Amino acid sequence: MTGNTAAPPASGPAGVVRSAVRGSRPVTLVAMCLGAMITFLQITATVSALTTIQQDLRVDPTTLIWVPSAYTLMVASVVLSAATLGNRYGRKRMFGAGVLAMIVGAAVVAGAPTVAWVILGQLVAGLGGALILPNSLAILGATFTDPHRRTEVITAWSAASGIGLAIGPLIAGTLLKHYAWHSVYLSTIVLGVVTLVAAIGVAESRPSAGRLDVPGLLFGTVAIAAAVYALIQGGKDGYTSPVVTVAWIAAAAAVVAFVLVELRSDAPMLDLRLFRAASFSAVMVVAAVSLFGFTGVAILLVLFHERVQALSPLDTGWRMLVLFGAYVVVAFGAGRAIRRTGFKAPLTLGLVLGAAASFGLAAQGPTASFGHRWPLFALFGAAGGLVVAPATAAALASVAPAQAGMASGAVNAARQVGSVLGTSLLGTLLTTTMLADLPGRLAAHQVGEPTRGAVQAAVAAGVTGDQPLPDPVRAAIAEAMTSGVQAGLRINGIVFLVTAVLTLALVRNRPHQP
């Protein structure tokens, strides 16, 4: 491949650096893939433990949404700034700091006595994820400069995230079968240590020693954090409540300030001129939608199996392996396929297939067997492999290697905003639809008062008791929750179809070509 073409021997300090970078390429790829893996392992391991966490800590459904969302909130808020910090202080250094933060955050959750400590640990881990994602991607972009080779490497990096998503439910399910839910987070700690060891052989990457864009960093972080907080908390308190309204205003003010600061800065954190290209802007939307659906649908399916079909976390993990396994296989192959097809075909096809799988899953009821569901799981996973990895590669292929850090920060910010929207909005839609549908379901199963009122209050508070529920009550709750899952899947299908049209119209087929 052209990325590995031999070059004449170099002499002097610069030659030593180039040789070190070439020699460390396999090590760099492995370490960066491990970093991507750990950030996504945290997501699905947490989702798999949600039911046990809720039962043990007596968490109401709306507060429970904050357990996975706190992690993605922090990642989405800081990821753009983290790319800038890597450019200024060293990408490898920031990557290592991110892995350490992941380890510390997981340790806090592992010892958490209350849900507040769980959320705090998730925030710390999210800070680590924010430091890992853009800097690992930028390191790969700077190490593999040939466009075709870089596309293949980036799709491998994205596929590694799918491995993290796949093994999360299996590890969590195995540990939950024998130990308390706190043990789930030991996997993050162990993988974090392995990642730190692997990163020892990675060469430092620091493209710029210029001044830090502090105003841009602060305004960018506040804008994303306030907007995401408003979206999550609005699902609980209402999107026009006083606190949420203040968050909306703060987000809007921070966005305006960020744009003004970046346009006037000689060394902006994010060069807004990149968005003048319709293709680059469209790729950002695709990146956000890809994680919106992939993360959000994963949560819906895990909750469906554990809450509606009463499966154990381990049994759920094996079923989710079909989805994540298909994602990994297709994502690995997408890198080579893009070389022949360009970006537009796989992105559009993936979004259409993802929509079809979402609508298909939404049409199935609470008693549908896995024999009827697994082809749709595999289809949705394959669709994710055609969208998530190519969208990331398309973003970096749209810019020069010197802008890899900036582009990686932008695409990761888009991805993580999409991820937190998927967990929060689809999770909130599930909760609100379930609570609204429950009274009618209880009435249909002839559950009378005062039992009906007690069940509604218990479900709303997240406390249904440790004793087996009567069959009519259990059936009504399962049907109401299925309605919530179906609503989320339909919304995802619509979002995917709209984005497919956008992709077909605006994305350039081969952004790396002049």
Side-chain angles (χ1 to χ4, degrees), residues 43-219:
I43 295 174
T44 50
T46 297
V47 171
S48 299
L50 279 180
T51 299
T52 309
I53 291 174
Q54 182 179 30
Q55 294 172 348
D56 184 42
L57 301 180
R58 305 288 182 176
V59 185
D60 65 88
T62 49
T63 301
L64 190 68
I65 296 298
W66 272 104
V67 174
S69 295
Y71 174 80
T72 48
L73 167 64
M74 183 61 79
V75 175
S77 302
V78 184
V79 70
L80 190 58
S81 304
T84 302
L85 293 173
N87 290 345
R88 177 65 178 82
Y89 298 108
R91 293 164 176 168
K92 177 186 175 182
R93 182 176 298 171
M94 291 299 101
F95 175 84
V99 176
L100 285 174
M102 287 287 301
I103 293 172
V104 171
V108 171
V109 180
T114 65
V115 69
W117 279 99
V118 173
I119 293 173
L120 176 61
Q122 287 284 82
L123 289 172
V124 175
L127 175 61
L131 290 168
I132 290 171
L133 287 170
N135 288 298
S136 61
L137 190 55
I139 288 171
L140 291 177
T143 303
F144 300 89
T145 56
D146 174 73
H148 293 302
R149 178 60 173 154
R150 182 167 58 169
T151 296
E152 293 173 0
V153 166
I154 291 171
T155 51
W157 177 87
S158 296
S161 67
I163 296 175
L165 290 169
I167 65 176
L170 295 178
I171 293 175
T174 301
L175 292 172
L176 288 170
K177 187 175 182 179
H178 303 285
Y179 307 102
W181 61 265
H182 303 79
S183 65
V184 169
Y185 295 90
L186 297 178
S187 57
T188 298
I189 297 174
V190 172
L191 186 57
V193 173
V194 173
T195 304
L196 286 177
V197 173
I200 293 175
V202 176
E204 182 58 278
S205 172
R206 184 185 300 174
S208 171
R211 67 179 178 83
L212 190 64
D213 180 16
V214 176
L217 188 151
L218 292 176
F219 286 129

Side-chain angles (χ1 to χ4, degrees), residues 218 262 297 363 468:
L218 292 176
E262 296 306 280
V297 168

